[in-house]
């Protein structure tokens, strides 16, 4: 028995559980609590917190040990051993029964309740002098006799000054005792924990670690302890799983080691099987000479649950940890067994041969390599190719197969698997170039776009003699990296190299890549006479692709080309087709980029809500595939969309999510500064807005985010016009580009910019405003048309023509109201009142009273979603959802989710 001290233990995300412990310890009478959750959820830390908070209470501690699970009452003996001398206060019958059980002579079944009463009496005797706290960790790991006895005692402590705290994996261990399930930490709690363990990491690193840990405190602690300084700063790739030598992995390994061998094999198969068809696992078990009944010991241990829908795991990290700690030979055998179960024909036969011991390795390697084309699942193809590489006796051929496996793993959205395959690879120049193509693509989208430029250019040089298509693809990706980092002046080199690889009569796929690089290079240097026709040709080629040439990558190029020549509807169609094709083919590495282009097309089309939905989908896709740079780009788009709609809270929240991990001058950084500039403009800080937006790029140098500044130029001009400035260089770039396109909407924006900078009160401004209104398409982008009406109406009012102004202001106010843009509708109303019109406040329903993000949350609540489900779907923390929901209730005047659902019905 020990006395408690007052040492503080930091716990994150366990406020409710700590409150429950304190309430129990503050009571005069007794009681019990059960904390249950998977390994690494913080059960032991809560018991330690209770012992530190025990005050004047005496403390008894116990732990269920697997080594003693077959020794009846061993756990009870460990708990009570320090106070067994107090049994002198017990009646003789209880004392004999207790001594007999704890001495190893067992307890007859009919005497078990009497034994529990004896244990209760002993605790009461110990607590006679001062209150008592008993903590028992891992109750379900030790012997079942002790667990049953303590459960009986836990239900009978009401009138005693005894607090009993128990932990277990599953709640079924103890019935009738208040139980607390230890939920995973949310993103905010993960960030707080990481900052408490080491120096606060950059926001992208914290977000990646939170996703990697799946909210497990032990996983976060293991990761924080294992990362190198470069990884912690975001300068080196992060691992794909918590460390296999960490405490969490040791816990899982110990739990698995206690299971029978057939059960371990079945658990590994279940962890690897991601499908929704329970029959797959049954067939794989049959092929391995197993049955699903072998899972029963694992279910009893709380590792998994079985049901009509198949096998589920109680914690999302369980699958990852089970596969991470499995012996390599067992893991590969299980992967091949599952793949063989799913595959038919030659591939199925080859995979089934791969699990046999009597198939010659060289024959099997050739069989696997030739059958891999049948695999539609790129992740499964990576497994097959890796196995073929391991079996191939030729080092050169083995290297080629390993690179192909890495390419498949990356394409499937698993960069960690791909990096693992490429790590330590030794290959000749040609194979090395193909490896660099995979590495560079991952650098571009995941963590190091600046380094990707050199990697991809080197890859293009290495593979060009043997594979012009791969070389052109490497150049296009290098060009994308150049644009992401803001060094557009370097694109000239990409265009030059791509032109050198062009040949007369090239097939459409090669022609598209070479023409795209040339067209982008010309456009970035302002040569729209050459760039425009080239990029329009790419759009046409993209729409005509068929057969092997029809790939998500080619469609992404075509969509990007369409945006550069301002044909928004084809851009949206091509990007949408790329999204569908990437999903249907499992080419998930390209999905975030395709979604980015679709979101930008929707922005130009004026479909702001659709663009926000696409960008949110892009954040989820990027995070799921480890693409931190792409996730930041989508967060930047969301920030701009929120700022344009004057949703300050949402814009700042998205900028905070980007954090300081975005490199200065990069595309995510530029999007964030564009959003801040728009907020400055809305708040009347015109000089700040103009300075922020003009700094997005250094016009004429090819440095900075030229393409983002072109998109932001209408806001830059508006801010400068208020402040008396003239951003002549930025407007010249925008005007030159807009006039080179056939887009009425771009020309309308250019005319509006010219109107804003024209001499005040002169005929030029009015002429340009009229031109802008004629050019604005009637069927697209009503938001920008309404903005032009508002600006023109304000100009006319200031020129003392209130009657003419009111017509434009009424149209602007009506359009903004229909679009739910309340702040802009209010601005139009203010101008109308200044023009002598008596207008009431805008009638505000939920669409007008709530921000876009609040409205989305409110609609999900009305559909019956929980806060945690909403947080998952919107890539937010539960605390952020709680905060928004409180504001929703306040703004709409409702007090419950039921009232909210009724209001939105």
């Amino acid at each position: 028995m020990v006395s408690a001290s007052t040492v503080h233990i930091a716990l994150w995300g366990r406020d409710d559980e700590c409150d429950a412990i304190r309430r129990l310890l503050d009571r005069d009478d007794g009681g019990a609590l059960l904390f249950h959750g998977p390994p690494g959820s913080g059960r032991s830390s809560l018991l330690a917190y209770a012992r530190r908070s025990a005050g004047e209470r005496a403390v008894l501690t116990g732990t269920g040990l697997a080594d003693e699970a077959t020794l009846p009452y061993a756990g009870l003996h460990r708990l009570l051993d320090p106070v067994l001398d107090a049994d002198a206060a017990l009646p003789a019958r209880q004392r004999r029964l207790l001594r007999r059980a704890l001495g190893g002579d067992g307890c007859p079944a009919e005497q078990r309740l009497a034994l529990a009463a004896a244990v209760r009496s002993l605790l009461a005797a110990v607590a006679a002098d001062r209150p008592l706290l008993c903590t028992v960790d891992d109750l379900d790991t030790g012997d079942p006799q002790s667990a049953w006895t303590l459960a009986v005692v836990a239900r009978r402590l009401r009138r005693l000054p005894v607090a009993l705290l128990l932990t277990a994996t599953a709640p079924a261990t103890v019935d009738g005792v208040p139980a607390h399930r230890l939920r995973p930490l949310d993103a905010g709690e993960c960030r707080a924990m990481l900052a408490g363990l080491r120096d606060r990491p950059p926001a992208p690193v914290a977000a990646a670690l939170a996703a990697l840990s799946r909210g497990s405190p032990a996983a976060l602690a293991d990761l924080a302890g294992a990362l190198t300084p470069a990884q912690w700063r975001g300068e080196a790739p992060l691992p794909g799983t918590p460390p296999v030598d960490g405490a969490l992995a040791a816990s899982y390994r110990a739990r698995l080691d206690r299971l029978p061998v057939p059960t371990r094999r079945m658990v590994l198969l279940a962890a690897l099987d991601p499908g929704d068809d329970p029959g797959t696992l049954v067939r794989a078990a049959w092929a391995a000479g197993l049955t699903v009944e072998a899972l029963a010991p694992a279910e009893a241990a709380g590792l998994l649950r079985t049901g009509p829908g198949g096998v589920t795991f109680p914690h999302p990290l369980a699958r990852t940890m089970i596969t991470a700690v499995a012996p390599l030979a067992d893991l590969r055998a299980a992967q091949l067994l599952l793949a063989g179960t799913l595959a038919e024909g030659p591939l199925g036969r080859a995979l089934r041969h791969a699990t046999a011991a009597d198939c010659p390795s060289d024959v099997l390697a050739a069989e696997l390599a030739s059958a891999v084309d049948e695999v539609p699942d790129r992740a499964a193809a990576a497994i097959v190719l890796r196995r073929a590489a391991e079996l191939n006796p030729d080092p050169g051929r083995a290297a080629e197969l390993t690179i192909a496996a890495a390419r498949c793993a990356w394409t499937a959205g698993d960069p960690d698997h791909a990096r693992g395959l490429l790590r330590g690879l030794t290959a000749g120049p040609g194979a090395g170039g193909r490896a660099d193509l995979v590495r560079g693509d991952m650098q571009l989208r995941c963590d190091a776009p600046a380094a990707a430029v050199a990697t991809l250019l080197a890859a293009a040089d290495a593979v060009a003699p043997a594979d012009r298509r791969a070389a052109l693809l490497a150049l296009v990706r290098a060009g994308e990296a150049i644009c992401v980092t803001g060094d557009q002046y370097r694109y000239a080199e990409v265009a030059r190299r791509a032109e050198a690889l062009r040949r007369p009569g090239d097939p459409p796929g090669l022609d598209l890549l070479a023409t795209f690089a040339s067209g982008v290079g010309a456009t970035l240097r302002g040569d729209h006479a050459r760039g425009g026709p080239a990029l329009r040709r790419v759009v046409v080629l993209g729409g005509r692709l068929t057969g092997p040439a029809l790939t998500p990558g080619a469609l992404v190029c075509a969509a990007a080309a369409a945006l550069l020549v301002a044909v928004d509807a084809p851009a949206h169609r091509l990007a949408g087709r790329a999204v569908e094709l990437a999903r249907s083919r499992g080419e998930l590495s390209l999905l975030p980029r395709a979604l980015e282009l679709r979101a930008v097309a929707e922005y130009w089309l004026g479909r702001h809500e659709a663009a926000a939905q696409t960008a949110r989908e892009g954040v989820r896709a990027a995070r799921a595939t480890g693409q931190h740079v792409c996730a930041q780009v989508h967060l930047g788009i969301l920030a701009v969309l929120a700022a344009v709609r004057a949703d300050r809270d949402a814009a700042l929240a998205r900028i905070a999510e980007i954090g300081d991990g975005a490199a200065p001058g990069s595309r995510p950084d530029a999007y964030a500064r564009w959003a801040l500039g728009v907020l400055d403009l809305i708040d009347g800080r015109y000089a700040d807005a103009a300075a922020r937006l003009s700094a997005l790029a250094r016009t004429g140098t090819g440095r900075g985010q030229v393409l983002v500044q072109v998109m932001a130029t209408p806001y830059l001009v508006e801010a400068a016009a208020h402040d008396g400035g003239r951003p002549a260089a930025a407007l010249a770039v925008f005007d030159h580009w807009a006039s080179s396109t056939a887009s009425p909407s771009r020309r309308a924006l250019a005319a509006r910019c010219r109107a804003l900078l024209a001499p005040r009160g002169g005929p030029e401004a009015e002429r340009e405003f009229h031109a802008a209104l004629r050019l604005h398409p009637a069927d697209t982008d009503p938001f920008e048309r309404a903005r032009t009406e508002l600006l023109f109406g304000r100009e006319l009012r200031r020129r003392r023509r209130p009657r003419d102004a009111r017509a434009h202001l009424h149209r602007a106010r009506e359009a903004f109201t229909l679009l739910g843009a309340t702040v802009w509708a209010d601005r139009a109303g203010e101008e109308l009142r200044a023009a002598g019109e008596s207008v009431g406040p805008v009638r505000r329903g939920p669409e007008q009273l709530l921000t876009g993000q609040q409205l989305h949350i409110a609609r999900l609540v009305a559909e019956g979603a929980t806060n945690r489900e909403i947080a998952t779907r919107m890539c937010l923390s539960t605390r952020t959802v709680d905060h928004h929901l409180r504001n929703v209730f306040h703004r709409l005047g409702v007090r419950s989710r039921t009232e909210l659902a009724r209001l939105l019905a």
Side-chain angles (χ1 to χ4, degrees):
M1 186 166 62
V2 298
S3 296
S5 67
T6 57
V7 177
H8 176 69
I9 294 177
L11 289 169
W12 293 272
R14 299 291 179 250
D15 293 346
D16 293 343
E17 291 78 7
C18 290
D19 288 344
I21 290 172
R22 287 194 298 271
R23 287 195 300 270
L24 177 60
L25 295 178
D26 290 342
R27 285 164 44 177
D28 292 331
D29 58 353
L33 293 173
L34 170 68
F35 299 106
H36 63 92
S41 56
R43 296 173 301 180
S44 301
S45 296
L46 279 171
L47 296 189
Y49 171 83
R51 292 192 291 270
R52 303 301 185 186
S53 304
E56 296 303 317
R57 288 178 179 264
V59 179
L60 288 175
T61 63
T63 302
L65 298 178
D67 290 344
E68 299 181 354
T70 58
L71 304 177
Y73 302 107
L76 199 60
H77 182 275
R78 285 167 53 82
L79 176 69
L80 300 179
D81 185 61
V83 295
L84 276 179
D85 291 344
D87 68 351
L90 272 60
R93 181 172 175 271
Q94 285 189 343
R95 184 169 60 253
R96 285 193 303 271
L97 185 60
L98 182 61
R99 288 283 182 175
R100 177 182 174 186
L102 299 186
D105 293 331
C107 178
E110 66 274 10
Q111 296 286 327
R112 291 196 303 161
L113 184 58
L115 176 62
V119 173
R120 180 182 182 276
S121 297
L122 180 63
L123 296 179
V126 174
D129 295 331
R130 55 173 173 157
L132 177 64
L133 168 65
C134 300
T135 66
V136 182
D137 204 3
D138 294 331
L139 185 66
D140 52 350
T141 301
D143 65 279
Q145 294 83 2
S146 294
W148 187 90
T149 304
L150 287 170
V152 173
V153 172
R155 294 188 283 267
R156 290 165 173 80
L157 294 175
R158 175 62 63 183
R159 291 176 293 178
L160 299 179
V162 177
L164 176 58
L165 299 180
L166 308 169
T167 73
T169 303
T173 307
V174 182
D175 293 328
V177 173
H180 292 256
R181 183 181 68 85
L182 302 186
R183 60 171 179 79
L185 304 184
D186 63 31
E189 292 161 349
C190 289
R191 288 195 297 271
M193 180 175 175
L194 290 169
L197 294 171
R198 290 175 62 168
D199 295 338
R200 185 180 297 277
V205 174
L209 292 176
L212 187 60
S213 70
R214 303 295 186 96
S216 166
L220 276 177
D222 287 346
L223 285 163
L227 294 190
T228 65
Q231 288 175 317
W232 190 258
R233 294 190 300 267
E235 298 168 359
L238 295 174
T241 64
V244 294
D245 57 351
L248 181 62
S251 174
Y252 271 96
R253 192 177 290 111
R255 290 166 66 85
L256 290 166
D257 287 346
R258 293 195 293 269
L259 298 175
V261 172
T263 301
R264 290 204 298 268
R265 294 178 63 193
M266 278 301 302
V267 168
L268 182 55
L269 282 171
L272 289 169
D273 179 20
D276 298 325
D277 180 12
T280 300
L281 185 60
V282 173
R283 291 191 298 272
W286 180 84
L290 302 169
T291 64
V292 291
E293 285 74 17
L295 289 171
E299 186 166 18
L303 269 174
L304 49 77
R305 290 188 290 268
T306 60
V311 177
T312 58
F313 289 85
H315 191 276
L317 194 61
R319 289 181 186 270
T320 300
M321 296 311 301
I322 290 168
T323 56
V325 303
L328 185 59
D330 294 351
L331 180 63
R332 291 179 178 174
Q335 290 170 331
L336 290 168
L337 191 63
L338 274 172
T341 301
L342 291 168
E344 301 294 338
L347 177 62
R349 289 192 297 273
L351 289 169
R352 286 186 283 276
H353 289 164
T355 62
D358 57 352
C359 184
S361 60
D362 54 345
V363 174
L364 180 55
E367 191 176 358
L368 286 168
S370 62
V372 74
D373 290 338
E374 294 185 12
V375 186
D377 183 350
R378 294 295 87 192
I383 295 171
V384 174
L385 288 165
R386 183 182 66 188
R387 181 61 172 155
E390 292 166 350
L391 295 168
N392 200 295
D394 178 3
R397 179 58 176 156
E400 292 175 2
L401 291 169
T402 300
I403 294 167
R407 184 172 60 251
C408 287
W410 164 235
T411 300
D414 190 350
D416 297 312
H417 186 194
R419 291 189 191 103
L421 289 165
L422 295 176
R423 195 174 295 122
L425 178 73
T426 56
R434 293 185 183 280
D436 279 344
L437 180 52
V438 180
R439 288 192 188 98
D441 204 14
M442 290 191 290
Q443 289 172 335
L444 162 62
R445 306 197 189 284
C446 297
D447 47 25
V453 178
T455 304
L456 290 165
L457 290 176
D461 285 342
V463 302
D467 190 343
R468 283 193 301 124
R469 183 188 180 283
L472 285 168
L473 184 61
L475 290 172
V476 167
R477 298 284 163 80
E480 185 182 340
I482 285 169
C483 292
V484 169
T485 57
D487 295 328
Q488 278 89 343
Y489 71 94
R490 298 182 63 185
Y491 208 104
E493 180 185 0
V494 170
R496 178 182 57 77
R497 293 192 186 191
E499 194 61 33
L501 291 172
R502 187 193 295 274
R503 301 290 184 272
D506 272 342
L510 268 68
D511 190 13
L512 182 146
L513 292 172
T515 306
F516 176 77
S518 299
V520 173
T523 298
L524 289 175
R525 66 175 182 267
D527 188 356
H528 300 301
R530 291 188 178 182
L535 293 173
R536 292 186 189 94
R537 175 172 169 74
V538 172
V539 176
V540 172
L541 287 171
R544 294 176 179 174
L545 291 175
T546 59
L550 179 59
T551 64
L555 291 172
V556 160
C557 288
L563 287 171
L564 288 172
V565 292
V567 285
D568 303 323
H572 187 258
R573 184 170 60 253
L574 288 163
R577 196 176 178 197
V579 169
E580 294 171 2
L581 202 60
R583 285 193 175 123
S584 65
R585 294 185 179 181
E587 298 187 23
L588 302 182
S589 62
L590 268 175
L591 184 58
R593 173 63 172 160
L595 288 167
E596 176 196 345
L597 295 172
R598 191 174 80 180
V600 173
E602 287 164 343
Y603 167 82
W604 282 117
L605 289 167
R607 304 173 191 171
H608 291 183
E609 187 56 42
Q613 183 62 35
T614 297
R616 284 191 288 268
E617 189 179 347
V619 172
R620 291 192 293 271
R623 286 175 173 169
T625 54
Q627 299 187 39
H628 309 307
V629 174
C630 290
Q632 289 179 331
V633 170
H634 282 283
L635 289 169
I637 292 172
L638 286 169
V640 170
L641 290 166
V644 166
R645 302 298 290 267
D647 187 348
R648 168 176 290 277
D649 290 344
L652 294 178
R654 293 304 187 180
I655 291 170
E657 283 190 75
I658 295 173
D660 56 2
S666 65
R667 187 176 293 165
D669 176 68
Y671 276 132
R673 286 190 286 150
W674 177 9
L676 291 171
V678 173
L679 293 177
D680 287 338
L681 173 64
I682 291 170
D683 292 343
R685 296 189 296 273
Y686 303 118
D688 292 343
R692 206 185 295 272
L693 295 174
S694 62
L696 292 177
R698 283 169 280 176
T699 308
T701 67
R703 297 180 184 273
Q705 290 295 325
V706 177
L707 299 178
V708 176
Q709 188 179 64
V710 166
M711 295 176 71
T713 294
Y715 293 93
L716 167 59
V717 169
E718 185 177 343
H722 276 288
D723 197 46
R726 291 187 62 82
L731 178 57
V733 170
F734 183 83
D735 210 357
H736 183 42
W737 171 66
S739 63
S740 74
T741 72
S743 169
S745 64
R746 304 302 193 281
R747 295 184 178 193
L749 292 173
R752 187 175 84 193
C753 290
R754 293 193 296 270
L756 289 169
L757 295 179
R760 180 67 55 81
E764 182 184 352
E766 186 169 354
R767 183 171 63 252
E768 293 290 359
F769 270 124
H770 279 301
L773 290 173
R774 283 195 306 272
L775 287 166
H776 273 301
D779 57 342
T780 60
D781 207 356
F783 180 82
E784 288 298 344
R785 182 181 183 88
R787 294 251 300 124
T788 301
E789 296 273 18
L790 172 60
L791 292 168
F792 191 17
R794 186 187 65 188
E795 171 68 16
L796 292 171
R797 179 189 65 76
R798 291 178 177 178
R799 291 169 61 181
R800 300 188 179 183
R801 292 169 57 184
R803 180 179 298 176
D804 295 335
R806 287 196 288 267
H808 295 287
L809 294 172
H810 271 300
R811 286 194 290 269
R813 183 170 181 263
E814 179 181 354
F816 288 136
T817 301
L818 291 174
L819 291 169
T822 306
V823 171
W824 294 109
D826 288 343
R827 294 284 172 90
E830 292 167 4
E831 290 290 338
L832 276 168
R833 284 188 285 275
E837 184 90 358
S838 177
V839 295
V842 177
R843 184 178 180 275
R844 301 189 176 193
E847 291 80 1
Q848 287 75 47
L849 288 169
L850 303 179
T851 66
Q853 194 163 40
Q854 289 170 345
L855 183 61
H856 191 199
I857 289 172
R859 285 171 174 162
L860 290 175
V861 169
E863 293 171 5
T866 66
N867 287 12
R868 185 162 296 281
E869 290 168 342
I870 295 169
T872 300
R873 291 172 64 175
M874 296 185 66
C875 299
L876 300 173
S877 71
T878 52
R879 288 188 177 180
T880 301
V881 174
D882 292 340
H883 170 75
H884 282 308
L885 197 53
R886 285 195 295 271
N887 288 336
V888 168
F889 281 18
H890 175 72
R891 292 189 180 191
L892 298 184
V894 298
R895 293 175 293 179
S896 69
R897 300 169 89 94
T898 303
E899 288 184 28
L900 178 60
R902 190 179 300 119
L903 179 65
L904 294 177

